[in-house]
């Protein structure tokens, strides 16, 4: 028993001695300071002063400077990655916004094209056949035909032709046409008559004789004027100056419908090419045509 007791005492003594020789874990020391973004150097100085005061041997080591520089480099790399990530995020948002705007513009453009395509093709007289009347046109005038009951005489017809308005009908009945004209006319050069006692025929002289009408009166269905086909034989009846103007207008209309440059734009391009050939030493890389 004495031997066991002595062994236990010795073992307890060794354990106690071993425990007392191990270093005690250090406790965290609080650090408090105010950071001024306009003067970060002062904050760093306080950090280093704190470390020097609380750590007995950190700055005594040869590796202290390398550790600090390594921490600075790591912070710089982290900052660069953060900035790059933020720039990439902004660029992605701008790209998505641009794509959305482009899609919206494309949809608007397609909608406009579809709207144009939805317009009816003109009849053989470059006008339209409607339920209660029909009309045709040339660049100078329009012809309107309004069917009426057989045997109708002129005294039963109401036809009022004004600069911007047309009213046609029979006495005692609602008017067949009573609306504002698509564009103005010359009332003094217009007239109407009864044809075969069953049709009111009206001739309207356009005020602007260089334009195709899309409809007779506002609110009616419109025709696609890009599909108008003027009779070539009637162009020969025009004087040379008017004919050149009409042919130029028809050419420009066809070019625009195909997305090609107009006669004026082609003329400018030709002048620029001629100028460039005459001045080969000039730099035209930044020029806009």
């Amino acid at each position: 028993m004495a031997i066991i007791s002595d062994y236990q005492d010795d073992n307890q003594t060794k354990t106690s001695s071993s425990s007392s020789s191990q270093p005690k874990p250090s406790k965290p020391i609080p650090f408090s300071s105010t950071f001024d973004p306009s003067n970060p150097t002062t904050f760093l100085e306080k950090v280093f002063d704190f470390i020097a005061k609380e750590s007995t041997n950190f700055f005594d080591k040869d590796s202290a400077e390398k550790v600090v520089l390594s921490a600075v480099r790591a912070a710089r790399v982290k900052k660069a990655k953060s900035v790059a990530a933020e720039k990439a995020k902004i660029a992605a948002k701008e790209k998505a916004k641009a794509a959305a705007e482009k899609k919206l513009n494309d949809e608007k453009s397609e909608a406009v094209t579809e709207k144009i395509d939805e317009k009816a093709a003109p009849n053989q007289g470059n006008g339209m056949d409607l339920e209660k009347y029909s009309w045709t046109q040339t660049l100078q005038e329009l012809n309107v035909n309004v069917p009426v009951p057989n045997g109708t005489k002129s005294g039963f017809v109401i036809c009022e032709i004004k600069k911007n308005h047309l009213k046609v009908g029979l006495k005692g009945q609602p008017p067949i046409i009573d609306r504002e004209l698509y564009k103005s006319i010359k009332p003094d050069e217009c007239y109407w008559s009864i044809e075969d006692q069953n049709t009111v025929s009206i001739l309207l002289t356009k005020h602007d004789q260089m334009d195709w009408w899309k409809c007779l009166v506002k609110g009616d269905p419109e025709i696609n004027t890009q599909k108008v086909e003027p009779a070539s034989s009637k162009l020969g009846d025009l004087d040379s100056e008017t004919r050149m103007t009409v042919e130029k207008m028809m050419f420009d209309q066809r070019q625009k419908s195909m997305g090609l440059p107009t006669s004026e734009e082609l003329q400018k391009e030709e002048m620029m090419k001629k100028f460039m050939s005459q001045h080969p030493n000039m730099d035209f890389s930044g020029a806009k045509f």
Side-chain angles (χ1 to χ4, degrees), residues 80-123:
K81 289 182 178 179
S82 176
V83 172
E86 186 64 24
K87 288 182 177 180
K89 186 177 179 181
I90 294 174
K93 287 183 178 180
E94 292 178 350
K95 186 177 180 181
K97 183 179 178 181
E101 291 178 352
K102 183 179 183 301
K103 182 180 179 181
L104 181 61
N105 292 333
D106 291 344
E107 289 176 351
K108 287 182 179 179
S109 179
E110 289 176 1
V112 171
T113 303
E114 289 176 359
K115 188 175 181 180
I116 293 175
D117 293 340
E118 287 174 359
K119 293 180 180 179
N123 58 22

Short mmCIF file of all heavy atoms in Angstrom, two decimals, residues 80-123:
data_model
loop_
_atom_site.label_atom_id
_atom_site.label_comp_id
_atom_site.label_asym_id
_atom_site.label_seq_id
_atom_site.Cartn_x
_atom_site.Cartn_y
_atom_site.Cartn_z
N ALA A 80 -8.97 44.99 -55.87
CA ALA A 80 -9.00 44.96 -57.33
C ALA A 80 -10.07 43.99 -57.83
O ALA A 80 -10.80 44.28 -58.78
CB ALA A 80 -7.63 44.57 -57.88
N LYS A 81 -10.15 42.83 -57.19
CA LYS A 81 -11.17 41.86 -57.58
C LYS A 81 -12.57 42.40 -57.34
O LYS A 81 -13.49 42.20 -58.15
CB LYS A 81 -10.98 40.56 -56.80
CG LYS A 81 -9.75 39.76 -57.22
CD LYS A 81 -9.67 38.46 -56.44
CE LYS A 81 -8.47 37.62 -56.88
NZ LYS A 81 -8.37 36.35 -56.10
N SER A 82 -12.73 43.11 -56.22
CA SER A 82 -14.04 43.68 -55.89
C SER A 82 -14.44 44.74 -56.92
O SER A 82 -15.58 44.78 -57.38
CB SER A 82 -14.01 44.30 -54.49
OG SER A 82 -15.23 44.93 -54.20
N VAL A 83 -13.46 45.61 -57.30
CA VAL A 83 -13.73 46.65 -58.30
C VAL A 83 -14.05 46.02 -59.65
O VAL A 83 -14.97 46.44 -60.35
CB VAL A 83 -12.52 47.60 -58.41
CG1 VAL A 83 -12.69 48.56 -59.59
CG2 VAL A 83 -12.34 48.39 -57.13
N ALA A 84 -13.26 45.00 -60.03
CA ALA A 84 -13.49 44.32 -61.31
C ALA A 84 -14.87 43.67 -61.34
O ALA A 84 -15.58 43.71 -62.36
CB ALA A 84 -12.41 43.29 -61.55
N ALA A 85 -15.24 43.05 -60.21
CA ALA A 85 -16.54 42.40 -60.14
C ALA A 85 -17.67 43.42 -60.27
O ALA A 85 -18.68 43.19 -60.94
CB ALA A 85 -16.67 41.62 -58.84
N GLU A 86 -17.48 44.60 -59.63
CA GLU A 86 -18.49 45.65 -59.70
C GLU A 86 -18.62 46.20 -61.12
O GLU A 86 -19.72 46.45 -61.62
CB GLU A 86 -18.14 46.78 -58.72
CG GLU A 86 -19.19 47.87 -58.61
CD GLU A 86 -20.51 47.36 -58.03
OE1 GLU A 86 -20.48 46.34 -57.32
OE2 GLU A 86 -21.55 47.99 -58.30
N LYS A 87 -17.45 46.41 -61.79
CA LYS A 87 -17.46 46.87 -63.18
C LYS A 87 -18.15 45.87 -64.09
O LYS A 87 -18.91 46.24 -64.98
CB LYS A 87 -16.04 47.14 -63.65
CG LYS A 87 -15.40 48.38 -63.04
CD LYS A 87 -14.01 48.61 -63.61
CE LYS A 87 -13.38 49.88 -63.05
NZ LYS A 87 -12.02 50.11 -63.59
N ALA A 88 -17.85 44.59 -63.87
CA ALA A 88 -18.48 43.54 -64.68
C ALA A 88 -19.98 43.51 -64.46
O ALA A 88 -20.76 43.32 -65.40
CB ALA A 88 -17.87 42.19 -64.33
N LYS A 89 -20.39 43.76 -63.22
CA LYS A 89 -21.82 43.78 -62.90
C LYS A 89 -22.51 44.95 -63.60
O LYS A 89 -23.59 44.79 -64.17
CB LYS A 89 -21.99 43.89 -61.38
CG LYS A 89 -23.42 43.79 -60.91
CD LYS A 89 -23.48 43.84 -59.38
CE LYS A 89 -24.92 43.76 -58.89
NZ LYS A 89 -24.99 43.84 -57.41
N ILE A 90 -21.86 46.13 -63.57
CA ILE A 90 -22.42 47.32 -64.24
C ILE A 90 -22.47 47.10 -65.75
O ILE A 90 -23.45 47.44 -66.41
CB ILE A 90 -21.58 48.56 -63.89
CG1 ILE A 90 -21.72 48.88 -62.39
CG2 ILE A 90 -22.02 49.76 -64.73
CD1 ILE A 90 -20.81 50.00 -61.92
N ALA A 91 -21.37 46.53 -66.30
CA ALA A 91 -21.32 46.28 -67.75
C ALA A 91 -22.42 45.30 -68.16
O ALA A 91 -23.04 45.47 -69.21
CB ALA A 91 -19.95 45.73 -68.12
N ALA A 92 -22.66 44.29 -67.33
CA ALA A 92 -23.71 43.31 -67.65
C ALA A 92 -25.08 43.97 -67.64
O ALA A 92 -25.93 43.69 -68.50
CB ALA A 92 -23.66 42.17 -66.64
N LYS A 93 -25.30 44.88 -66.66
CA LYS A 93 -26.58 45.59 -66.60
C LYS A 93 -26.77 46.48 -67.82
O LYS A 93 -27.86 46.53 -68.42
CB LYS A 93 -26.66 46.43 -65.32
CG LYS A 93 -26.86 45.62 -64.05
CD LYS A 93 -27.01 46.54 -62.85
CE LYS A 93 -27.26 45.74 -61.58
NZ LYS A 93 -27.40 46.64 -60.39
N GLU A 94 -25.69 47.20 -68.21
CA GLU A 94 -25.78 48.09 -69.37
C GLU A 94 -26.01 47.28 -70.65
O GLU A 94 -26.76 47.69 -71.53
CB GLU A 94 -24.49 48.91 -69.50
CG GLU A 94 -24.33 49.93 -68.38
CD GLU A 94 -23.04 50.71 -68.50
OE1 GLU A 94 -22.18 50.32 -69.33
OE2 GLU A 94 -22.87 51.71 -67.77
N LYS A 95 -25.35 46.12 -70.74
CA LYS A 95 -25.53 45.26 -71.92
C LYS A 95 -26.96 44.74 -71.99
O LYS A 95 -27.57 44.71 -73.07
CB LYS A 95 -24.55 44.08 -71.85
CG LYS A 95 -24.57 43.20 -73.09
CD LYS A 95 -23.52 42.11 -72.98
CE LYS A 95 -23.53 41.23 -74.23
NZ LYS A 95 -22.52 40.13 -74.13
N ALA A 96 -27.49 44.34 -70.83
CA ALA A 96 -28.87 43.85 -70.79
C ALA A 96 -29.85 44.96 -71.14
O ALA A 96 -30.84 44.74 -71.85
CB ALA A 96 -29.18 43.27 -69.41
N LYS A 97 -29.55 46.18 -70.64
CA LYS A 97 -30.42 47.33 -70.94
C LYS A 97 -30.39 47.65 -72.42
O LYS A 97 -31.43 47.91 -73.03
CB LYS A 97 -29.96 48.54 -70.12
CG LYS A 97 -30.82 49.77 -70.31
CD LYS A 97 -30.32 50.93 -69.47
CE LYS A 97 -31.17 52.17 -69.70
NZ LYS A 97 -30.67 53.33 -68.90
N ALA A 98 -29.18 47.65 -73.01
CA ALA A 98 -29.05 47.92 -74.45
C ALA A 98 -29.78 46.87 -75.27
O ALA A 98 -30.44 47.19 -76.27
CB ALA A 98 -27.57 47.98 -74.83
N ALA A 99 -29.66 45.61 -74.85
CA ALA A 99 -30.34 44.53 -75.58
C ALA A 99 -31.86 44.69 -75.48
O ALA A 99 -32.58 44.46 -76.47
CB ALA A 99 -29.91 43.18 -75.01
N ALA A 100 -32.33 45.09 -74.30
CA ALA A 100 -33.78 45.29 -74.13
C ALA A 100 -34.28 46.46 -74.98
O ALA A 100 -35.35 46.38 -75.60
CB ALA A 100 -34.09 45.55 -72.65
N GLU A 101 -33.48 47.56 -75.03
CA GLU A 101 -33.86 48.70 -75.85
C GLU A 101 -33.86 48.33 -77.33
O GLU A 101 -34.75 48.75 -78.08
CB GLU A 101 -32.90 49.87 -75.60
CG GLU A 101 -33.06 50.48 -74.21
CD GLU A 101 -32.06 51.60 -73.96
OE1 GLU A 101 -31.15 51.78 -74.81
OE2 GLU A 101 -32.19 52.29 -72.94
N LYS A 102 -32.86 47.56 -77.75
CA LYS A 102 -32.80 47.14 -79.15
C LYS A 102 -34.01 46.27 -79.50
O LYS A 102 -34.61 46.41 -80.58
CB LYS A 102 -31.51 46.37 -79.42
CG LYS A 102 -31.33 45.96 -80.88
CD LYS A 102 -30.01 45.22 -81.08
CE LYS A 102 -29.80 44.87 -82.54
NZ LYS A 102 -30.87 44.02 -83.08
N LYS A 103 -34.35 45.36 -78.59
CA LYS A 103 -35.49 44.48 -78.83
C LYS A 103 -36.77 45.30 -78.94
O LYS A 103 -37.62 45.04 -79.82
CB LYS A 103 -35.61 43.47 -77.68
CG LYS A 103 -36.75 42.48 -77.88
CD LYS A 103 -36.82 41.50 -76.72
CE LYS A 103 -37.97 40.52 -76.91
NZ LYS A 103 -38.06 39.57 -75.76
N LEU A 104 -36.90 46.32 -78.06
CA LEU A 104 -38.09 47.17 -78.09
C LEU A 104 -38.16 47.96 -79.39
O LEU A 104 -39.23 48.05 -80.01
CB LEU A 104 -38.06 48.13 -76.90
CG LEU A 104 -39.26 49.08 -76.77
CD1 LEU A 104 -40.55 48.28 -76.61
CD2 LEU A 104 -39.07 50.02 -75.58
N ASN A 105 -37.00 48.51 -79.84
CA ASN A 105 -36.97 49.26 -81.09
C ASN A 105 -37.28 48.37 -82.28
O ASN A 105 -37.97 48.77 -83.22
CB ASN A 105 -35.60 49.93 -81.27
CG ASN A 105 -35.36 51.04 -80.26
OD1 ASN A 105 -36.31 51.66 -79.78
ND2 ASN A 105 -34.11 51.31 -79.94
N ASP A 106 -36.74 47.13 -82.24
CA ASP A 106 -37.02 46.18 -83.32
C ASP A 106 -38.50 45.83 -83.38
O ASP A 106 -39.09 45.73 -84.47
CB ASP A 106 -36.19 44.90 -83.14
CG ASP A 106 -34.70 45.14 -83.36
OD1 ASP A 106 -34.36 46.18 -83.95
OD2 ASP A 106 -33.89 44.29 -82.94
N GLU A 107 -39.10 45.67 -82.19
CA GLU A 107 -40.53 45.34 -82.15
C GLU A 107 -41.36 46.50 -82.67
O GLU A 107 -42.35 46.30 -83.38
CB GLU A 107 -40.94 45.00 -80.71
CG GLU A 107 -40.38 43.66 -80.22
CD GLU A 107 -40.71 43.41 -78.77
OE1 GLU A 107 -41.23 44.34 -78.10
OE2 GLU A 107 -40.46 42.29 -78.28
N LYS A 108 -40.94 47.75 -82.33
CA LYS A 108 -41.66 48.92 -82.83
C LYS A 108 -41.54 49.01 -84.35
O LYS A 108 -42.50 49.33 -85.05
CB LYS A 108 -41.10 50.20 -82.18
CG LYS A 108 -41.49 50.37 -80.73
CD LYS A 108 -40.94 51.67 -80.18
CE LYS A 108 -41.34 51.88 -78.73
NZ LYS A 108 -40.79 53.14 -78.18
N SER A 109 -40.31 48.76 -84.85
CA SER A 109 -40.08 48.80 -86.29
C SER A 109 -40.91 47.75 -87.01
O SER A 109 -41.51 48.00 -88.07
CB SER A 109 -38.60 48.59 -86.58
OG SER A 109 -38.35 48.59 -87.97
N GLU A 110 -40.96 46.54 -86.42
CA GLU A 110 -41.76 45.47 -87.02
C GLU A 110 -43.24 45.82 -86.99
O GLU A 110 -43.97 45.52 -87.93
CB GLU A 110 -41.51 44.17 -86.26
CG GLU A 110 -40.12 43.58 -86.49
CD GLU A 110 -39.89 42.34 -85.65
OE1 GLU A 110 -40.83 41.95 -84.91
OE2 GLU A 110 -38.79 41.77 -85.72
N ALA A 111 -43.65 46.47 -85.88
CA ALA A 111 -45.06 46.86 -85.77
C ALA A 111 -45.44 47.88 -86.84
O ALA A 111 -46.51 47.80 -87.44
CB ALA A 111 -45.35 47.43 -84.38
N VAL A 112 -44.52 48.84 -87.09
CA VAL A 112 -44.77 49.85 -88.13
C VAL A 112 -44.83 49.19 -89.49
O VAL A 112 -45.69 49.49 -90.32
CB VAL A 112 -43.66 50.93 -88.11
CG1 VAL A 112 -43.79 51.85 -89.31
CG2 VAL A 112 -43.75 51.74 -86.83
N THR A 113 -43.89 48.25 -89.74
CA THR A 113 -43.87 47.55 -91.03
C THR A 113 -45.15 46.74 -91.21
O THR A 113 -45.74 46.73 -92.30
CB THR A 113 -42.66 46.61 -91.10
OG1 THR A 113 -41.47 47.38 -90.90
CG2 THR A 113 -42.59 45.92 -92.44
N GLU A 114 -45.57 46.05 -90.14
CA GLU A 114 -46.80 45.27 -90.22
C GLU A 114 -48.00 46.16 -90.47
O GLU A 114 -48.91 45.82 -91.22
CB GLU A 114 -47.00 44.48 -88.93
CG GLU A 114 -46.00 43.33 -88.77
CD GLU A 114 -46.16 42.63 -87.44
OE1 GLU A 114 -47.03 43.08 -86.66
OE2 GLU A 114 -45.42 41.67 -87.18
N LYS A 115 -47.98 47.36 -89.84
CA LYS A 115 -49.10 48.28 -90.02
C LYS A 115 -49.18 48.75 -91.47
O LYS A 115 -50.25 48.87 -92.04
CB LYS A 115 -48.93 49.49 -89.09
CG LYS A 115 -50.13 50.41 -89.07
CD LYS A 115 -49.96 51.50 -88.05
CE LYS A 115 -51.19 52.41 -88.02
NZ LYS A 115 -51.05 53.50 -87.02
N ILE A 116 -48.00 49.01 -92.07
CA ILE A 116 -47.97 49.43 -93.48
C ILE A 116 -48.46 48.29 -94.36
O ILE A 116 -49.23 48.49 -95.30
CB ILE A 116 -46.55 49.85 -93.88
CG1 ILE A 116 -46.15 51.13 -93.13
CG2 ILE A 116 -46.45 50.07 -95.38
CD1 ILE A 116 -44.73 51.56 -93.35
N ASP A 117 -47.99 47.07 -94.04
CA ASP A 117 -48.39 45.92 -94.85
C ASP A 117 -49.88 45.64 -94.74
O ASP A 117 -50.49 45.09 -95.66
CB ASP A 117 -47.59 44.68 -94.43
CG ASP A 117 -46.11 44.83 -94.77
OD1 ASP A 117 -45.80 45.66 -95.64
OD2 ASP A 117 -45.29 44.13 -94.16
N GLU A 118 -50.47 46.00 -93.56
CA GLU A 118 -51.88 45.75 -93.37
C GLU A 118 -52.75 46.65 -94.24
O GLU A 118 -53.92 46.36 -94.48
CB GLU A 118 -52.25 45.95 -91.89
CG GLU A 118 -51.75 44.82 -90.98
CD GLU A 118 -52.00 45.13 -89.52
OE1 GLU A 118 -52.53 46.22 -89.25
OE2 GLU A 118 -51.65 44.29 -88.68
N LYS A 119 -52.20 47.79 -94.69
CA LYS A 119 -52.97 48.69 -95.54
C LYS A 119 -53.31 47.99 -96.86
O LYS A 119 -52.50 47.26 -97.42
CB LYS A 119 -52.17 49.97 -95.82
CG LYS A 119 -51.97 50.83 -94.57
CD LYS A 119 -51.18 52.07 -94.89
CE LYS A 119 -50.97 52.93 -93.66
NZ LYS A 119 -50.16 54.13 -93.95
N ALA A 120 -54.51 48.27 -97.34
CA ALA A 120 -54.99 47.59 -98.54
C ALA A 120 -54.23 48.04 -99.77
O ALA A 120 -53.78 49.19 -99.87
CB ALA A 120 -56.47 47.87 -98.71
N ALA A 121 -54.07 47.13 -100.70
CA ALA A 121 -53.49 47.49 -102.00
C ALA A 121 -54.51 48.32 -102.77
O ALA A 121 -55.71 48.08 -102.67
CB ALA A 121 -53.12 46.23 -102.77
N PRO A 122 -54.08 49.32 -103.51
CA PRO A 122 -55.02 50.15 -104.26
C PRO A 122 -55.71 49.37 -105.37
O PRO A 122 -55.18 48.36 -105.85
CB PRO A 122 -54.13 51.27 -104.82
CG PRO A 122 -52.75 50.68 -104.85
CD PRO A 122 -52.68 49.74 -103.69
N ASN A 123 -56.90 49.83 -105.78
CA ASN A 123 -57.57 49.21 -106.91
C ASN A 123 -56.86 49.61 -108.21
O ASN A 123 -55.84 50.31 -108.18
CB ASN A 123 -59.06 49.57 -106.94
CG ASN A 123 -59.28 51.08 -107.00
OD1 ASN A 123 -58.39 51.84 -107.40
ND2 ASN A 123 -60.46 51.51 -106.58
#
